[in-house]
Amino acid sequence: MTPSSSLRSRQGGLIGGNVGPSGNSNIHVDTISDVREAQDKRKRTTGVWIRKQHRRIVVICLSSCIVLLFFLFSNNLFVTNGEVDSEDSILAPMGTIVYGAKSKGNNTDKLVAQAINAGFRHIATGGFHFEYNEPAVGIGWKESGVPRNELYLQTLFVAKSVNNYGVQNCKVGGCPPSPDLSIEEQVHLSIKSSLHNLQTRYIDSVLVHNFRAKLEKFEDTMTAWKVLESYVDRGIIRHLGIVSVHDRDYLLKLHNETKVKPSIIQNRFHSNRGYDVELRLLFKDIGMSNQLFWILTGSAGGKVKNNGVISEIARRQGVSNQVLLYSFIIVCLGGTPLIGTKTLQHMEEDVSALIRKPLVWNDE
């Protein structure tokens, strides 16, 4: 083969020629015009094939869309009927104030609906807790007419070893629960029951409950927490938290050893717990919202009720002593008060002074 023919063979191989094992070239395209003609032919052939396979392509595309939609629905990834689980969708944040549905009995649904219509958006209830009527909370938020994704619904996981444990809210298969259920099985049944009671596909937060200062064993808390984390991973629960922990080491250990960090610490606001003064910086440092209960019924409420100085400040602000205390907790302590009022007037006063037109605190 001459040098020129060798060059032609290499060029032919690059643009479509075949070079056999012996080195002989079989060149089909040698010019730019031939290349363009071959490209046009391929395009025409492809176009004919697409037209012939049009119906099949449409079927494949539709099938793919159906599979994708099924995946999204099954994993709770977007809005359906006012419920939402998408990172791109707007979900209700934790509230500045929380309406606590504890001890409302048969009036729970009516009071929850009133609270929501008054302006509360964060509602706290409990599943296997004998002082809550969780199914009525589901009825109440539905009756309010406010879309699900504009509400923050919070409930409790209460282990059978905790004093407040009660199964009157359990309305699903597996109820009443067997006394032999493991902690993992208790969590699964509790979440199944709460989803049913609250008439929702997701729960904004679930708090692991302790009775007052009687902490559950850390190992048991971690066992329950890991199961709850699996629900967070699936988009069924958004946030996790814990109740009645005034132990710094316990909180730090929980924060350090969990994958889904605690977002909420719900503690009583009481002098016998030092009002959590020594823990408040820790709450902030590890990113936990501090919900406070027993504000008016505990020691603080009694001290502000008839205090002359506080009464004068409240008078200047045009609010009650109780509302002033709530405002102090929000503005000065960075806390979130749980409010359990049963009167519409107080609900409206709380929302007006704490959310719509918050009180302004100054050095005076």
Side-chain angles (χ1 to χ4, degrees):
M1 181 181 295
T2 64
S4 60
S5 65
S6 175
L7 177 62
R8 290 181 62 208
S9 296
R10 289 194 295 271
Q11 291 172 336
L14 288 172
I15 60 175
N18 295 324
V19 180
S22 63
N24 296 327
S25 61
N26 180 17
I27 304 172
H28 299 295
V29 183
D30 285 319
T31 65
I32 294 177
S33 61
D34 289 338
V35 172
R36 289 176 177 171
E37 182 179 349
Q39 291 174 340
D40 291 340
K41 184 176 180 180
R42 282 196 296 272
K43 288 179 181 179
R44 288 193 298 272
T45 302
T46 303
V48 171
W49 182 86
I50 291 175
R51 286 192 294 272
K52 287 182 178 180
Q53 301 295 326
H54 175 73
R55 182 171 298 178
R56 184 179 180 185
I57 293 172
V58 170
V59 170
I60 292 173
C61 290
L62 287 175
S63 299
S64 300
C65 290
I66 291 172
V67 171
L68 178 59
L69 288 171
F70 176 79
F71 171 79
L72 292 173
F73 273 111
S74 63
N75 288 277
N76 300 317
L77 294 177
F78 59 88
V79 178
T80 305
N81 295 328
E83 297 185 2
V84 54
D85 276 77
S86 170
E87 293 181 359
D88 299 325
S89 301
I90 299 175
L91 293 169
M94 296 180 194
T96 302
I97 57 178
V98 178
Y99 186 72
K102 183 181 178 182
S103 302
K104 304 300 188 293
N106 293 332
N107 293 319
T108 298
D109 54 343
K110 180 186 73 174
L111 291 171
V112 166
Q114 283 184 346
I116 292 172
N117 287 324
F120 283 85
R121 289 295 178 267
H122 188 150
I123 309 297
T125 185
F128 290 5
H129 190 298
F130 77 90
E131 292 187 84
Y132 285 98
N133 186 346
E134 191 180 52
V137 172
I139 294 171
W141 84 257
K142 285 281 191 176
E143 289 180 346
S144 75
V146 174
R148 172 66 182 92
N149 63 305
E150 294 182 15
L151 299 172
Y152 191 99
L153 300 183
Q154 173 179 308
T155 193
L156 300 171
F157 164 67
V158 185
K160 65 184 180 184
S161 56
V162 177
N163 285 21
N164 299 121
Y165 181 75
V167 298
Q168 78 284 353
N169 292 325
C170 196
K171 310 290 185 183
V172 295
C175 296
S178 166
D180 299 324
L181 291 183
S182 66
I183 293 176
E184 294 91 341
E185 291 169 329
Q186 291 178 59
V187 174
H188 288 305
L189 183 58
S190 178
I191 299 305
K192 179 182 178 181
S193 177
S194 290
L195 290 169
H196 176 267
N197 291 340
L198 295 174
Q199 303 183 51
T200 182
R201 291 188 302 108
Y202 71 102
I203 304 170
D204 293 288
S205 60
V206 175
L207 277 54
V208 176
H209 188 61
N210 292 284
F211 179 71
R212 300 188 180 178
K214 185 182 177 182
L215 288 175
E216 293 296 288
K217 294 179 181 178
F218 185 80
E219 295 75 15
D220 292 344
T221 296
M222 282 300 299
T223 298
W225 200 278
K226 288 178 180 178
V227 179
L228 291 169
E229 286 178 330
S230 71
Y231 284 91
V232 176
D233 291 340
R234 293 156 57 194
I236 296 173
I237 298 174
R238 292 177 59 200
H239 304 127
L240 299 180
I242 195 162
V243 178
S244 294
V245 181
H246 304 272
D247 186 314
R248 181 185 185 88
D249 293 338
Y250 194 103
L251 286 174
L252 278 173
K253 190 174 183 181
L254 181 65
H255 176 80
N256 292 333
E257 296 188 14
T258 52
K259 181 179 67 174
V260 178
K261 306 301 179 185
S263 299
I264 298 169
I265 173 67
Q266 186 187 101
N267 279 349
R268 72 183 61 204
F269 189 64
H270 202 280
S271 58
N272 63 13
R273 296 290 175 266
Y275 299 109
D276 283 338
V277 171
E278 296 182 359
L279 293 176
R280 208 159 296 285
L281 285 177
L282 174 65
F283 299 157
K284 183 177 180 181
D285 288 344
I286 60 179
M288 290 196 301
S289 172
N290 181 205
Q291 296 180 2
L292 305 170
F293 62 95
W294 276 26
I295 296 172
L296 301 184
T297 55
S299 56
K303 291 177 181 178
V304 305
K305 186 176 181 179
N306 299 311
N307 184 287
V309 174
I310 292 176
S311 295
E312 176 60 21
I313 297 173
R315 185 190 64 78
R316 293 179 186 177
Q317 292 278 12
V319 297
S320 66
N321 290 22
Q322 291 81 357
V323 170
L324 188 70
L325 178 57
Y326 288 146
S327 179
F328 172 80
I329 286 171
I330 294 169
V331 176
C332 302
L333 300 184
T336 302
L338 270 75
I339 299 174
T341 180
K342 297 180 182 179
T343 69
L344 178 59
Q345 178 184 350
H346 289 159
M347 293 175 185
E348 292 174 342
E349 289 175 353
D350 295 336
V351 170
S352 176
L354 303 173
I355 298 179
R356 291 180 179 150
K357 296 180 180 179
L359 300 183
V360 177
W361 289 75
N362 52 45
D363 295 337
E364 181 184 5

